[in-house]
Amino acid sequence: MSYLVLARKYRPKDFDELVGQEHISEVLKNAIEKNRIAHAYIFSGTRGTGKTTTARIFTKALNCVDRKASQPCGKCPNCKEIADGNSIDVQEIDGASNRGIEEIRSLRENVQYAPSSSKYKVYIIDEAHQITDAAFNALLKTLEEPPEHVIFILATTDPQKIPLTILSRCQRFKFRPLSAVEISTHLEKLSKLEKFDIDKSALQLIAQISNGSLRDSLSMLDQVISFSPDDKITDKTVRELIGLSPLEMVSSIVDLILAKDAKGILEKIAGIAAEGYDFLQIGRDTREYFRKLVFTNYIDLEKNAPESILPDEMESLKKHKGMFQDNILLRNLHLANRCIEEMRFSDNTRLIFELYALKLMQQTAGIDELIDKLSAMEKNLGGPSGPADSQPSGDTPPAVKNPGTGHSIAGSDAPAYKTAENTAKNAPAQP
Ligand SMILES: [Zn+2]
């Protein structure tokens, strides 16, 4: 028997089998039960998150002759034909290769005829953002006055490229990228069913690499299994196949930033380039890492967000927690975000990433060195003159050199700005 790839073998057959898009399946199920069906839908979201699969399940449910509540039976001729891609009333159109006005015109003519054996004629247009403006214009007329029996489902990774006139006539559903934990849980389930001899850590690594795309994670699992069909698969096997994981790359870059190791940073980036990684994605991973690092200052992530962070990442975050000053960390997050904005408009994403990695290092180093210098200065001058607990406000102003006298001004001798402010605040208001 030939091997059926996992993504096809375990393609969800009804709404309950969909992974991670409950917010969408609930609304669609409701629409079916209440018979409130729109004539046009837009399913948007990153690749491999279930847009086409959901469109097929929805179509089956609409045309099923033996539907149970909102779920398609999966057994009637309509369900079977749709699952096999043979239904003459359901057309799946690749928007990338049928993007011109001629194709849309013939679609418009076809729309007029009633369905042959189903309730609805459904047109699922994949990669809909590829359709030309002229073709969208031709489609608009049909969307304005659609025949009763016709439903359009436009699937796209780039909804902002679809004209507003079209968008405003469609019900929109946003498919979200899946968290690494959701993906690894799903992979674990399938691995058990398939009796794969594979470590949990290997599945977690695959989940991490697939960036929210369930389909990508399944192809990677296929690849890992065929790479090493007889041995137990560990995270080491996965690493042999794909090289460094994004987390390891980001985590080691953060190490190098903290160590102020410019040479190390540039060498690491050269290594990433040699492995053929996409720098825009590494940039996004870096930004996400700094974001989580900022969160660790305010939230116990282990307790509050265990579903979105894998054990390896948690370990790394714990290691870096508190290593950056709060304000530096916020600025680093801001810089990482700007890095991605600049990459979008650049023909050399590696260069932009190098530039920002060094900027992050300089900024971190800059403040650290300043603090080092200040504390060295303080040491030379014999430290603060007054003990901190003698301050009524509890705030000890930092020791700074008075440029006029050359003496250290600190503790109770310093101009106690905060204390003065507090005093003013506490003083009775002047009449
Ligand atoms: Zn059916």
Side-chain angles (χ1 to χ4, degrees):
M1 205 182 88
S2 68
Y3 179 69
L4 194 58
V5 295
L6 292 167
R8 281 192 57 198
K9 187 168 178 185
Y10 292 100
R11 170 167 280 162
K13 292 175 199 70
D14 58 37
F15 287 115
D16 291 344
E17 288 183 13
L18 278 173
V19 184
Q21 311 295 352
E22 290 78 10
H23 61 299
I24 290 171
S25 48
E26 281 312 309
V27 178
L28 292 177
K29 274 159 77 176
N30 236 326
I32 291 168
E33 277 174 39
K34 304 235 162 75
N35 200 24
R36 280 194 201 141
I37 311 297
H39 284 287
Y41 294 87
I42 287 191
F43 289 179
S44 67
T46 45
R47 64 174 204 283
T49 48
K51 299 183 293 294
T52 319
T53 303
T54 306
R56 285 195 199 124
I57 293 171
F58 186 48
T59 307
K60 277 199 284 187
L62 288 169
N63 282 345
C64 177
V65 293
D66 192 19
R67 200 174 65 212
K68 308 274 184 295
S70 56
Q71 294 283 24
C73 74
K75 291 178 191 125
C76 73
N78 283 354
C79 279
K80 279 190 167 162
E81 280 172 13
I82 294 169
D84 297 339
N86 295 330
S87 170
I88 46 167
D89 294 323
V90 178
Q91 276 196 43
E92 280 192 37
I93 300 160
D94 174 17
S97 47
N98 297 283
R99 57 198 299 268
I101 189 150
E102 283 313 312
E103 285 92 352
I104 298 294
R105 271 192 192 135
S106 72
L107 187 151
R108 251 173 58 191
E109 276 161 33
N110 189 292
V111 157
Q112 307 307 324
Y113 306 109
S116 69
S117 60
S118 330
K119 192 171 174 195
Y120 293 102
K121 259 187 148 168
V122 184
Y123 296 86
I124 301 171
I125 307 181
D126 224 350
E127 305 287 329
H129 58 273
Q130 304 255 23
I131 292 173
T132 64
D133 284 350
F136 265 131
N137 260 333
L139 186 64
L140 188 59
K141 293 202 178 82
T142 311
L143 288 184
E144 279 168 343
E145 286 169 29
E148 263 310 296
H149 59 265
V150 167
I151 292 169
F152 286 98
I153 303 174
L154 311 185
T156 176
T157 48
D158 263 322
Q160 68 276 13
K161 287 189 186 152
I162 292 180
L164 275 176
T165 45
I166 299 281
L167 286 178
S168 64
R169 284 178 173 80
C170 299
Q171 262 191 33
R172 294 174 65 178
F173 291 92
K174 241 177 137 175
F175 286 66
R176 62 180 189 87
L178 273 70
S179 77
V181 176
E182 281 172 316
I183 292 180
S184 74
T185 309
H186 188 68
L187 295 182
E188 239 181 291
K189 204 172 95 187
L190 299 195
S191 298
K192 253 184 215 143
L193 289 171
E194 289 287 317
K195 300 195 170 60
F196 290 151
D197 193 8
I198 185 163
D199 266 359
K200 199 172 173 174
S201 58
L203 296 174
Q204 287 175 340
L205 191 57
I206 293 174
Q208 206 190 89
I209 297 158
S210 33
N211 277 317
S213 164
L214 195 62
R215 188 172 61 224
D216 284 8
S217 77
L218 292 174
S219 346
M220 212 175 297
L221 184 56
D222 276 326
Q223 206 183 335
V224 170
I225 296 292
S226 54
F227 176 69
S228 179
D230 302 318
D231 306 319
K232 182 174 182 66
I233 294 161
T234 62
D235 53 339
K236 201 168 153 258
T237 327
V238 181
R239 254 175 262 269
E240 272 172 44
L241 204 66
I242 56 126
L244 275 181
S245 81
L247 171 69
E248 286 161 326
M249 284 188 260
V250 172
S251 180
S252 60
I253 287 173
V254 173
D255 282 340
L256 292 164
I257 287 173
L258 282 163
K260 299 164 209 170
D261 182 354
K263 184 167 168 275
I265 289 174
L266 294 175
E267 280 169 359
K268 175 62 69 184
I269 293 175
I272 294 172
E275 295 216 27
Y277 274 100
D278 171 11
F279 277 100
L280 185 58
Q281 191 52 50
I282 299 292
R284 287 197 191 110
D285 292 338
T286 309
R287 175 180 62 181
E288 188 56 26
Y289 191 80
F290 273 113
R291 179 171 165 258
K292 285 177 182 158
L293 213 48
V294 168
F295 279 16
T296 58
N297 279 344
Y298 307 104
I299 301 170
D300 183 349
L301 288 179
E302 219 162 3
K303 273 192 197 142
N304 293 296
E307 74 287 347
S308 61
I309 300 176
L310 290 170
D312 279 5
E313 191 175 15
M314 194 64 86
E315 278 313 303
S316 177
L317 286 168
K318 273 188 197 162
K319 184 178 83 177
H320 290 137
K321 179 175 155 50
M323 301 281 274
F324 293 92
Q325 282 196 324
D326 288 3
N327 57 336
I328 299 288
L329 195 55
L330 280 179
R331 261 187 276 168
N332 280 353
L333 175 59
H334 203 181
L335 272 181
N337 191 48
R338 281 226 314 260
C339 171
I340 290 156
E341 283 168 10
E342 273 189 44
M343 275 186 187
R344 286 211 188 102
F345 299 102
S346 170
D347 62 345
N348 191 340
T349 50
R350 174 180 170 175
L351 171 86
I352 304 289
F353 190 77
E354 282 169 346
L355 198 76
Y356 273 89
L358 293 177
K359 254 189 188 179
L360 288 170
M361 182 201 76
Q362 271 186 353
Q363 146 148 311
T364 307
I367 296 286
D368 279 356
E369 270 160 21
L370 200 66
I371 291 168
D372 286 351
K373 272 185 196 157
L374 280 173
S375 23
M377 222 183 269
E378 190 181 82
K379 223 183 251 169
N380 287 341
L381 293 163
S385 55
D389 57 5
S390 72
Q391 283 289 311
S393 69
D395 290 320
T396 311
V400 285
K401 205 171 176 185
N402 184 325
T405 61
H407 293 310
S408 162
I409 47 168
S412 49
D413 293 328
Y417 170 67
K418 282 199 172 170
T419 314
E421 185 191 52
N422 289 344
T423 316
K425 227 187 268 171
N426 296 336
Q430 294 296 318

